[in-house]
Each structure stands twice: as structure tokens, then as C-alpha cells.
Amino acid sequence: MDKFIVLGEKKLKGIISVSGSKNAGLPIMAASLLADGHYILKNVPDIIDIRTMAKLLRILGAKVEFENHELKINTENCSYYEAPYDLVKTMRASIYVLGPLLARFGKAKVSFPGGCALGARPINLHLQGLQKLGANIEIEHGYIYATAKKLNGTEVIFEKKSVGATTNILMASVLVDGITILRNVACEPEINSLANFLNKMGAKIEGIGTDCLTISGVKNLHPADVTLIPDRIETGTLLLAAAITKGNINVKNCCPMDLGIVLEKLKEIGFSIETENDSIKISGKAKNPIEISTNPYPAFPTDLQAPFAALLSTVKGISIIDENIFSDRFMYISELQRLGADIKLDKNRIVIHGGTKLTGAPLMASDIRAAAALVIAALASEGKTEISRVYHLDRGYERLESKLAQLGADIERIED
Ligand code: UD1
């Protein structure tokens, strides 16, 4: 298992490009199961989760080639409909094939995803939505068996906003007979990008960008090509890496509009943020502690909660973060404490007494964003930090260490 060695306290400077979005790419790959033919996806990040989804599509009968951030998918010979445990256990987003397989073949067998490092992650909303469309769902031997002779348009009101459930039910709805209305859907930019892609395939989805989607079912879809939107979480991570080193960087090929509240919070801390159409410059120093509350988009993203905690550990004063999406997304705290951060956990809230001196130590990553937080903290820590289990980071970031090194960080991957 690879490790990172970081020698901290180097100011980041320069220009860096953001990769395409993981969370936009995964559902779009699954959507290719909805129509036979050839697809080309561009700006695809070369990360483990994308490769896992490619593996899953191959298991389902697709031909997939991945080179130079271009993914070619041929779904002409897809006839298999089972997502096995071995893949689903490594990536929960494998559940995204459930909706498309059911819509296309009238049946799907997908391993039931287990728990994960962020706490309980139920899929009840996915299953209830499919049942509402007319699917029969059975759970046996750890697998979800979904079948339907025919899916029918209906109204689904989601009890809470869920990115995954919205994604699955939206994909299941595009081929049904009649009109489906989905209420209280997640409005993340990645959902909009999926909905736009489905429309490009011939679907009829209205209300994109709002919390109510109306889908007029069509008989057939056709393949389409797409360039993935920039990864807003990687954008935020790079900005935070610069911020914690009091650096000055220009993040290119990003979408500032998708980072509204994140940029507001950075300004509130005291950083100077300048945006253009597709770039963000950050400079300046931290002055103020802040309060953050994670919630569905457009509120503060849970995926940047841990990276912000790393930054706020270095900002004098008391900062507070409330995590309202996942029940157990604070596993990284004990690692930040090993660097000297003063963070106290109280249920779903952390209180950070910022400004303590951080000094390098051996650390272990527990999930993708926790890993990013440890890297960010290491950049500001005196001396050497060794971060193990960076495979978590590699699931969602394409060679983050190379990008940081390009900006002047002293970071090295030790391959095992
Ligand atoms: C997606 C993102 C993840 C991000 C999260 C929240 C992908 C591949 N992953 O995860 O990076 O952190 O959105 O922005 O895009 N819930 C239920 N029942 C369900 C489904 C969800 O109760 O059937 C709950 C979850 O436990 C959680 C909340 O709803 O408390 C939101 O989860 P959800 O938006 O579904 O997250 P994911 O789609 O798993």
C-alpha cells in the first residue's frame, strides 16, 4: 500500500488544473447501460473509482477503453444484470447500475452495499423509489433482486434529499410509461450534469437544477458523448491546500459557480478570492475562525468538511463544524490530534480550538476526504508526516501529490 511522505511548511504557488468530476462521471457511466451503442466520455479523471465502475460495466458485458482521460464505452453486448459483492463492497456507487438495469432489462441483481467509514448509509430511498415505479424488490443472500414487467410513471416524494437515490430513480424513470414527478430531489451539480446527459440521450427531463424533476417517459434512448464537469471537491481541496500554507495559487478549468458557499467561507476566514469564468485565485492569510454546517447543495458540502477542519485547526480562535449528512464522518479527528490539533467531538459537532502548532507524525487515512484532510494538515505541519493507506485518496483524486508538488509542496509517494 502506497504512502505519502510530506515535509511541511512550504508555501504553495502557481497554476494548477482541476480534473473532471468523479461524482459526475460515475452515474453517467451507469447511464450508458440505458441504450445500446458507443459512448465517448471526455475529461474523465484517472482514479480508482472510475476504474472500478469500468470493471463493473465490463462484467455487465460492455467494452470499455480508458486512455488519456477519454473513456470509450460500447454497450452493444450488455445482457448480464448482476453487480457482484466483490465490486460493490469496494465502491458503494456501484448501486447506480440498479436503476438503469431495471429500466433496460426489467431485472437487476445488485449486491446490497454494507456499512462504510462514514457511518450507516441506508439505501431505503433508492428501493422505495423503485417500488413506487412498480418494481418488485427482494433481498436475499446479501443481494437486491429487482424485477418489473413494466415500470409506470408516478410521483415520488423523497423523505430527504439524497444524491444516490435521486440518481438511481432518475435513471430508472426515463424509459417508463407515462410521466414521473420526483419531488425533494438532490440539486447537486452532478445531478444536473446527469440529467443533461440523459436529455442528450433523448430523455425528456424538465426542472433540472430545481428540487422537482418531471420526466416524460420515452420508448428508446440513444448513446451520446459528454465532457465531464470539473470536480468541485478537488477544486476546494486544492484551494484549502494553498490556504493552509498561506500560499497563492490559481486553480484553472474549474467551475466557481458550483463552489458558492465554499468560497464565501474562505472569504469569511480572511482569504482573498478572485474568480473568472473557469478559474479561482486564492491568496492572503487566515484571520477569523468560522462556523460551518453541512447540508445538501447549495449548502456547505459534507465532502469538504474534513479538509476545512484541517485548515481551521491552524486558524486562531474557536471554529465549529456541524455535520448534518453522515452520522460518523469524524474518524480523521484522532489523526489530526496526532499532529497537535485541538479538536473536540460532541455528537455531530466538532469544536476546534485553532492555532495550535502542528508537528509532523505518522498518520493513517480512513476515507477519501479524510485522506485529503490529512494531506492538507501535513502541508502546514513542521517536519515530516507519513500518511499511510493513501489508496483511499486515490479512489477520488488523480495523483493529488503530483499536483501539490507542481505547486511547490514537498510531497512524495512511496510505492509499495
Ligand atoms: C453522494 C456522494 C458523496 C457525498 C454525498 C452527500 C457520490 C458517488 N457520492 O453520496 O461523495 O458525500 O452524496 O453529498 O456522488 N440516505 C438515506 N437513505 C437512502 C440514501 C441516503 O437515509 O436511501 C441518507 C444518507 O445516509 C445520508 C443522506 O441521506 O445521511 C445523504 O446521502 P446521499 O446524498 O444519498 O449520499 P450518497 O449518494 O451516498
Side-chain angles (χ1 to χ4, degrees):
M1 282 186 279
D2 292 3
K3 283 181 191 166
F4 283 173
I5 306 287
V6 184
L7 294 176
E9 299 186 302
K10 308 274 184 302
K11 265 190 189 187
L12 300 196
K13 276 188 198 149
I15 300 174
I16 198 75
S17 251
V18 164
S19 300
S21 162
K22 163 176 96 72
N23 289 353
L26 295 173
I28 286 176
M29 289 171 77
S32 71
L33 294 166
L34 286 164
D36 277 358
H38 294 261
Y39 297 75
I40 298 180
L41 278 51
K42 294 188 175 158
N43 196 32
V44 181
D46 193 349
I47 53 177
I48 292 179
D49 276 12
I50 292 287
R51 290 189 175 269
T52 304
M53 185 58 93
K55 226 184 212 176
L56 178 51
L57 292 180
R58 285 191 194 105
I59 286 175
L60 298 171
K63 286 197 180 117
V64 186
E65 289 168 37
F66 189 23
E67 223 177 346
N68 294 329
H69 302 113
E70 192 172 287
L71 198 58
K72 290 186 180 148
I73 305 174
N74 173 0
T75 52
E76 268 163 359
N77 292 314
C78 283
S79 55
Y80 200 62
Y81 55 89
E82 176 178 333
Y85 174 67
D86 281 348
L87 279 185
V88 179
K89 77 173 182 205
T90 62
M91 187 185 69
R92 295 177 60 84
S94 310
I95 190 84
Y96 284 169
V97 299
L98 182 60
L101 287 176
L102 183 68
R104 194 67 209 292
F105 303 116
K107 56 188 169 186
K109 179 181 170 192
V110 176
S111 175
F112 202 104
C116 81
L118 312 187
R121 284 178 82 174
I123 52 160
N124 58 316
L125 302 175
H126 300 236
L127 302 184
Q128 283 163 12
L130 294 178
Q131 279 168 328
K132 198 86 202 288
L133 288 171
N136 179 50
I137 306 275
E138 281 171 33
I139 315 287
E140 256 179 37
H141 305 297
Y143 276 83
I144 304 157
Y145 292 80
T147 49
K149 284 215 172 74
K150 189 170 165 247
L151 295 172
N152 287 307
T154 183
E155 182 180 40
V156 178
I157 306 174
F158 291 101
E159 228 170 81
K160 61 155 87 167
K161 283 193 160 65
S162 157
V163 172
T166 302
T167 298
N168 238 332
I169 308 310
L170 176 60
M171 290 191 287
S173 306
V174 287
L175 288 172
V176 308
D177 204 4
I179 293 178
T180 305
I181 300 175
L182 306 181
R183 296 194 192 277
N184 196 29
V185 297
C187 307
E188 269 67 2
E190 296 78 20
I191 299 277
N192 303 344
S193 93
L194 170 67
N196 287 325
F197 178 69
L198 291 168
N199 276 352
K200 221 174 160 192
M201 289 176 70
K204 291 198 173 136
I205 304 167
E206 285 172 41
I208 299 174
T210 73
D211 68 357
C212 177
L213 296 173
T214 304
I215 303 123
S216 308
V218 293
K219 290 234 150 34
N220 292 299
L221 296 169
H222 51 78
D225 297 339
V226 69
T227 299
L228 297 187
I229 59 170
D231 195 307
R232 65 193 165 100
I233 306 300
E234 189 201 3
T235 307
T237 303
L238 291 166
L239 292 172
L240 287 163
I244 205 166
T245 67
K246 304 180 183 71
N248 179 343
I249 67 164
N250 186 355
V251 182
K252 293 272 198 192
N253 299 328
C254 63
C255 182
M257 283 232 307
D258 292 347
L259 279 121
I261 190 140
V262 172
L263 301 183
E264 288 309 311
K265 289 289 169 191
L266 285 168
K267 285 183 199 164
E268 208 181 313
I269 299 172
F271 294 100
S272 156
I273 301 283
E274 282 172 58
T275 60
E276 280 178 21
N277 206 15
D278 66 350
S279 69
I280 305 173
K281 279 187 194 162
I282 184 166
S283 59
K285 279 188 196 157
K287 295 182 192 115
N288 316 304
I290 55 161
E291 291 189 15
I292 287 175
S293 202
T294 69
N295 271 307
Y297 190 86
F300 191 91
T302 173
D303 285 349
L304 285 175
Q305 183 257 106
F308 258 80
L311 170 67
L312 293 171
S313 305
T314 65
V315 180
K316 267 203 182 110
I318 299 178
S319 289
I320 293 176
I321 303 183
D322 287 312
E323 169 57 58
N324 298 309
I325 305 284
F326 293 113
S327 57
D328 193 10
R329 206 168 198 183
F330 289 122
M331 273 171 75
Y332 63 89
I333 292 174
S334 46
E335 299 303 294
L336 291 186
Q337 284 166 339
R338 304 197 70 245
L339 297 177
D342 182 348
I343 306 178
K344 296 207 170 47
L345 174 62
D346 178 16
K347 299 194 182 96
N348 256 15
R349 161 173 289 195
I350 55 171
V351 179
I352 305 169
H353 288 257
T356 50
K357 186 171 173 57
L358 302 186
T359 54
L363 304 178
M364 208 185 277
S366 55
D367 73 70
I368 306 179
R369 310 304 170 188
L374 302 189
V375 171
I376 289 167
L379 294 174
S381 300
E382 182 200 294
K384 178 173 141 184
T385 299
E386 191 176 309
I387 304 172
S388 56
R389 301 199 178 168
V390 296
Y391 59 85
H392 286 296
L393 191 87
D394 296 335
R395 283 189 50 195
Y397 292 89
E398 181 174 329
R399 289 262 158 189
L400 184 65
E401 79 283 11
S402 306
K403 292 192 181 184
L404 295 173
Q406 217 177 304
L407 294 168
D410 191 334
I411 180 167
E412 195 191 348
R413 178 184 291 262
I414 309 289
E415 299 202 3
D416 186 12

